Amino acid sequence: MKPQSTMIVPSTLALLLSFQLIAAVADTHESFLQCLSLHSENSTSISKVIYTHYNSSYSSVLELTLQNLRFSTPATPKPPVIITPIHLSHIQAAIKCSQKYGMQIRVRSGGHDYEGLSFRTSYNSPFVIIDMINLSSISIDVENKTAWVQVGATLGQLYHRIAEKSPNLAFPAGSCPSVGTGGHISGGGWGILLRKYGLAADNIVDAHMIDVQGRFLDRKSMGEDLFWAIRGGGGASFGVIVAWKIKLVDVPSTVTVFTVRRPWDQIATKLVHRWQHVAHKLPEDLFIMVFLRSLSSGTEGNRTMEAIFQSLFLGGVEKLLPLMQERFPELGLVKEDCNETSWIQSIMIFNGFESGESLDILLQRTNYSDRRAFKAKSDYVREPMPGIALEGIYERLSKVEAEAAQLFFVPYGGKMSEISKSAIPFPHRAGNIYEIGHLVLWAEDGIDASQRHINWIRELYSYMTPYVSKNPRAAYINYRDLDIGTNNKGYTSYKEASVWGKKYFNHNFDRLVHVKTSVDPDNFFRNEQSIPPLSSGKKKRND
């Protein structure tokens, strides 16, 4: 009998401790919700934008703008609370109460963070999502060529609103319409106008944000150092960005778009090789990017590859054709390949929308039928790759894991080479001839399928090492890649964070760390790749 009793006591104790832990978590959760109501200007209004596991709509709100299905699994940590603020006081309350009750914050604009850091954490710590979807107003000032854009607005919504006001104004950001303006701009934000006007972040003239103390700041009150940091340094490290004041740019009434496809053979290899020598030297009105992707050949599962040359020219076809004949005749562009259209219609074409489709499709926040799991990486190229390197890419794209994989080459030069490497935190300027995006998608469920595809892109990335930038091997923060390094769960030193930080920001990383130390010395706004503060004797976090 005695041995049995000694077994019962530890089991009973463990059960009691488990119940106590659950009760403590429940108490904290309830106290956190009460805190939100207490510190919001309107407790009734905030109650309408709080979602917990007990709300029937919790899952739909969580999944609404979740773009990468790799993180839509039962194993992905879920937040106990999602807040979709409609007022600045809701954000301020969330910051204050999260600090009080030891909760981390994730801020989501469009849900496109490639590693899901806008809606998840790998730290096994309680966290809150502030989903900015309701803060999406856009105000266009045609006369002064500016606009205020709240970060919950998508690029598609922004472009649609600009087009309503003027056919000759645009904004130099990405072409994917469901991308949120918050994260996109705070990471730099390249688009098909980058050779003419630079990045989205190069065209920001003011911003509104809430800092760690809950203060509302604009450019004047935040100061030039912080204003510099949030334009390309990743806003989530410094506070909650609420709105951007953007500078609109001129576009002609007629632009020309072409898409030329070439099957992968010796001719296509030579075309891509030639493109490397030409694209970054073309006039800044001409942008030609290249996609490399595999296709099913229709015979016993074999695969082939094609090179796609997609272009925007700020002008008519009669000017484009002689320019191409002079600078890139090898492509063999003819008038029938070209489509004269408006700027806003060029966005539709780049997204593959059908001719005649309503512009209202740009207003959709997500395309559920097109969502899949994916993994991405990025590189920068400073010298043209040899033909043998391109053949090695072809071999890897022919593998079964590459069924839905692609590489895209984005030409730099033009305005990108004119802007200083330290003008904003984004450092990849003169000397880079193009950027590479590596992307693999898959539809299969399960850990094994994910790992196979992730292993494939990691092997491709390793293969590319001799042909891309070095010391550091540069990367683009908006193509977030946790493989290149992560912060610790608790305290992360400057040296440890430099492993990934220098790749994204090069020498600008040091200034970002100093700004972080000044505005958030206790590192409240943190994630797996957030800018760390210098220790400076500050209390080291262990949570």
Side-chain angles (χ1 to χ4, degrees), residues 198-258:
L199 305 171
D202 292 322
N203 292 273
I204 300 300
V205 295
D206 203 345
H208 291 163
M209 68 178 293
I210 309 296
D211 73 356
V212 71
Q213 299 178 50
R215 298 176 300 182
F216 172 80
L217 304 176
D218 60 8
R219 178 175 182 172
K220 183 177 180 180
S221 56
M222 75 176 70
E224 288 303 301
D225 280 347
L226 182 52
F227 183 63
W228 173 86
I230 62 176
R231 292 175 296 143
S237 293
F238 305 98
V240 178
I241 312 295
V242 177
W244 304 106
K245 186 178 183 181
I246 65 175
K247 179 173 64 178
L248 302 180
V249 300
D250 296 316
V251 290
S253 298
T254 299
V255 303
T256 303
V257 175
F258 70 75

Side-chain angles (χ1 to χ4, degrees), residues 266-487:
Q266 284 191 332
I267 295 176
T269 305
K270 291 178 180 178
L271 282 177
V272 176
H273 188 264
R274 178 62 181 157
W275 174 92
Q276 296 182 98
H277 293 268
V278 172
H280 65 290
K281 299 178 181 178
L282 292 169
E284 61 184 15
D285 286 341
L286 179 55
F287 170 90
I288 307 173
M289 68 183 299
V290 178
F291 295 86
L292 305 180
R293 67 179 189 179
S294 64
L295 298 169
S296 173
S297 66
T299 57
E300 298 180 356
N302 293 329
R303 308 197 64 76
T304 184
M305 194 169 82
E306 68 173 353
I308 304 171
F309 298 81
Q310 193 166 31
S311 173
L312 170 72
F313 176 63
L314 299 177
V317 68
E318 297 305 324
K319 290 184 178 181
L320 173 61
L321 288 175
L323 175 59
M324 288 293 292
Q325 183 58 37
E326 175 190 355
R327 306 293 290 272
F328 194 14
E330 297 87 349
L331 187 60
L333 185 72
V334 296
K335 189 172 184 178
E336 289 72 22
D337 295 323
C338 301
N339 184 354
E340 288 189 330
T341 187
S342 64
W343 154 253
I344 192 65
Q345 286 294 337
S346 76
I347 295 295
M348 299 284 284
I349 293 170
F350 264 76
N351 279 281
F353 295 134
E354 296 293 331
S355 177
E357 198 158 1
S358 170
L359 292 178
D360 289 349
I361 197 170
L362 296 175
L363 302 177
Q364 295 181 4
R365 296 195 70 93
T366 190
N367 182 354
Y368 291 105
S369 63
D370 197 41
R371 293 198 300 180
R372 284 181 283 180
F374 68 86
K375 172 68 178 176
K377 292 178 173 289
S378 60
D379 268 311
Y380 287 87
V381 178
R382 302 178 68 86
E383 298 288 341
M385 290 190 289
I388 191 171
L390 298 173
E391 291 296 340
I393 293 173
Y394 166 73
E395 292 175 10
R396 285 156 179 80
L397 283 172
S398 299
K399 294 185 177 181
V400 64
E401 291 84 5
E403 180 180 3
Q406 66 177 13
L407 280 79
F408 50 91
F409 298 174
V410 181
Y412 275 36
K415 187 70 171 179
M416 290 295 288
S417 293
E418 298 171 9
I419 299 173
S420 166
K421 296 178 180 180
S422 59
I424 63 173
F426 181 97
H428 315 298
R429 306 288 187 170
N432 294 288
I433 60 176
Y434 64 95
E435 173 189 347
I436 299 178
H438 315 250
L439 179 66
V440 62
L441 306 95
W442 61 94
E444 306 101 303
D445 294 328
I447 296 175
D448 290 343
S450 290
Q451 200 58 55
R452 278 190 292 105
H453 290 87
I454 292 172
N455 287 344
W456 176 86
I457 199 171
R458 286 172 176 167
E459 194 280 328
L460 171 67
Y461 185 75
S462 176
Y463 167 78
M464 298 290 288
T465 302
Y467 310 113
V468 297
S469 60
K470 300 172 180 63
N471 302 318
R473 182 174 181 174
Y476 175 38
I477 183 65
N478 274 358
Y479 295 163
R480 192 187 299 279
D481 179 11
L482 296 185
D483 289 348
I484 69 173
T486 61
N487 294 334

